[in-house]
Every structure is written in structure tokens, then in C-alpha cells.
Amino acid sequence: MAEKKRLLIQLDSDPHASVFDRVVAIDAGSGEIVWTTKVSAGPLGQLTLAGGRLLVGSEAGELSALVTANGAKEWGYKADAAIVAPPLVAFGRLYIPNAVTFTVSVR
């Protein structure tokens, strides 16, 4: 069985951007960048790890599910407004708190 890497996840931006626009996974042991994925501008730093996916919400109301192994975007969801708190996975459902409806339950 292959050894799993421990990853440090951080939000980052292009030096010319005014907001965070990418997620970077860094190998905790070596400090090397494992993957980088561009996301909707304005992720608020509210990340949730669930089922091998990293859920990233944004000011634009977009939620992206990134595969932790390689950073690929597996799916996305567009909420009515900014996602204002970390998404929550509970009881087989995904709850997305946003500024208009407070929480949207998505299956």
C-alpha cells in the first residue's frame, strides 16, 4: 500500500491579483507543492475536508469540490449569495451557509 502524504492546504493568489484565487496543497514532510488549483475568485478561507474532497466556498457564492489527491475539481455548486461559513457535511447531506438563505442543503 502506498504511503499517504500529509498535506498542508493554503489559499494563495497570483502576485497581480487582489483576492485569493487558488488553492495550494503542500507536502507536509518535504515542503514541496503537490498541486495547485485555480478556484472562483474570493475564497473566504473556509475549507471543509470530507470524503477525500476539499470543499472551498467563495464570495461569489461558488462551492468547489476538489479531489485531495490531485486538486482536480470534481463538481461545483452556485449558491444565491456569498458562502459565509465553512460547508458542513452531516447525516449524508451537504449544508452550505450563504448570506441570503443562511443554509442550503444539497445532496
Side-chain angles (χ1 to χ4, degrees):
M1 182 175 184
E3 182 180 334
K4 292 187 177 186
K5 293 183 179 181
R6 289 185 48 205
L7 298 178
L8 302 173
I9 304 293
Q10 78 175 37
L11 297 176
D12 198 5
S13 66
D14 180 286
H16 305 287
S18 59
V19 295
F20 292 125
D21 64 351
R22 60 187 175 193
V23 179
V24 180
I26 301 167
D27 183 302
S30 69
E32 293 182 18
I33 293 176
V34 178
W35 54 259
T36 299
T37 300
K38 190 163 179 63
V39 293
S40 173
L44 299 173
Q46 302 154 354
L47 309 174
T48 298
L49 182 62
R53 305 298 176 264
L54 183 66
L55 305 175
V56 183
S58 77
E59 289 178 345
E62 295 179 19
L63 180 76
S64 298
L66 307 180
V67 178
T68 57
N70 59 18
K73 182 176 176 180
E74 186 171 65
W75 56 265
Y77 176 81
K78 178 71 172 132
D80 295 340
I83 297 173
V84 296
L88 171 70
V89 177
F91 307 108
R93 297 191 73 84
L94 170 62
Y95 297 90
I96 305 167
N98 71 51
V100 172
T101 57
F102 185 65
T103 302
V104 176
S105 173
V106 181
R107 203 163 189 144

